[in-house]
Amino acid sequence: NAPSDTSFNEMDTVYVYPKPDIQIANCQPMCNLDTLIIINNTTINNSIPGMVAQAITNHEWYINDIQVFGAPWNLTFTPNLPGSYWIKLVAESSLGCYSEDSCLITVYDLPEADFTILPDTTCLGNTTIFTSNSIDGSWPINTWIWNFGDSPINIDTITSYVDATNSYYYSGNYIVELTVFDNFGCSDTFKDTINISPGINAFFTSNVVCQGNPTQIYGTGSSSSTDNWSWDFDLDGSEDA
């Protein structure tokens, strides 16, 4: 007799739920100390018939493998050192499915603005020379913007040389500002003060005397800030007293 068939078949459905689809946007080179918003565009596929809908219930941001605790959905990134930074995002669904992705951000060093003023104290109307001593960062400097502090419209933008000149027509202290930009667009600003001394007036009086008698000539009528008098009595261009 043939043996009886004792086989048994049973079928069931196995659901393989999709992982979160991580999308990181706005990973791009930047200047040191700037702020970059890195966008989390993560989604999950809930379009498969018969599957329980999922949601993204947890996400974690990492900078160079160091977790940023409490980071919101989009990451605010403000580096304080130049270099390369790996940004990683881990996302987890309500059913425990998770995935991760990362991107590399290059942070460029800033230029360093600096200048000297010659002379740093001068008289009204004299020409002052401003010499840039600025230092390149990761990129070469290509623009120098000078604000001489004496007028909101007296601003020089220079792209072909690094020195500037200015003359002041009112006495006082002026804050001079230099902003430099490099080829990438990174910038830095430096400020210094120049003192413009008030102009002085030369004036003298003398006594009327007879020929051969000594004459007193008084230069005290000159400006009160005068500290040196040079006398030329016969107008020959030589100092007599």
Side-chain angles (χ1 to χ4, degrees):
N1 296 325
S4 61
D5 186 1
T6 59
S7 62
F8 177 77
N9 294 323
E10 183 176 353
M11 298 181 65
D12 201 355
T13 302
V14 176
Y15 291 96
V16 179
Y17 291 96
K19 294 181 178 182
D21 180 17
I22 290 187
Q23 299 289 335
I24 303 175
N26 206 31
C27 276
Q28 59 186 11
M30 63 184 298
C31 301
N32 190 33
L33 304 180
D34 281 357
T35 295
L36 183 68
I37 305 298
I38 304 173
I39 306 300
N40 181 356
N41 285 330
T42 301
T43 59
I44 196 161
N45 184 8
N46 283 318
S47 65
I48 303 174
M51 284 193 174
V52 176
Q54 296 186 87
I56 306 298
T57 55
N58 186 47
H59 71 278
E60 296 173 353
W61 287 101
Y62 295 81
I63 300 175
N64 286 342
D65 289 328
I66 299 175
Q67 184 176 354
V68 183
F69 290 99
W73 183 254
N74 297 321
L75 178 65
T76 300
F77 178 51
T78 306
N80 56 18
L81 289 173
S84 297
Y85 292 83
W86 279 103
I87 307 298
K88 182 172 71 174
L89 174 60
V90 178
E92 183 179 3
S93 74
S94 52
L95 294 178
C97 301
Y98 74 92
S99 56
E100 65 180 54
D101 197 6
S102 60
C103 64
L104 181 64
I105 294 179
T106 300
V107 177
Y108 295 121
D109 198 6
L110 302 178
E112 183 178 343
D114 187 38
F115 63 87
T116 54
I117 305 173
L118 292 176
D120 59 2
T121 299
T122 189
C123 298
L124 288 177
N126 288 355
T127 297
T128 302
I129 300 174
F130 303 87
T131 301
S132 172
N133 302 316
S134 304
I135 301 172
D136 292 339
S138 298
W139 295 79
I141 296 171
N142 64 8
T143 303
W144 295 258
I145 299 178
W146 296 92
N147 184 339
F148 301 109
D150 54 349
S151 169
I153 62 173
N154 187 18
I155 297 176
D156 283 354
T157 299
I158 300 171
T159 58
S160 59
Y161 60 98
V162 295
D163 294 346
T165 61
N166 192 52
S167 298
Y168 294 87
Y169 297 97
Y170 297 95
S171 61
N173 292 325
Y174 295 89
I175 297 176
V176 180
E177 179 179 285
L178 170 62
T179 300
V180 295
F181 288 86
D182 65 22
N183 285 345
F184 183 76
C186 300
S187 65
D188 187 42
T189 298
F190 177 75
K191 298 179 181 180
D192 201 358
T193 301
I194 182 173
N195 176 260
I196 305 300
S197 299
I200 61 174
N201 295 314
F203 183 79
F204 66 88
T205 58
S206 62
N207 295 329
V208 177
V209 297
C210 295
Q211 183 178 359
N213 291 340
T215 301
Q216 295 290 331
I217 302 176
Y218 305 96
T220 53
S222 302
S223 299
S224 59
S225 59
T226 304
D227 55 15
N228 183 62
W229 290 262
S230 177
W231 298 95
D232 180 5
F233 297 126
D234 49 10
L235 302 181
D236 64 353
S238 298
E239 184 177 340
D240 297 316

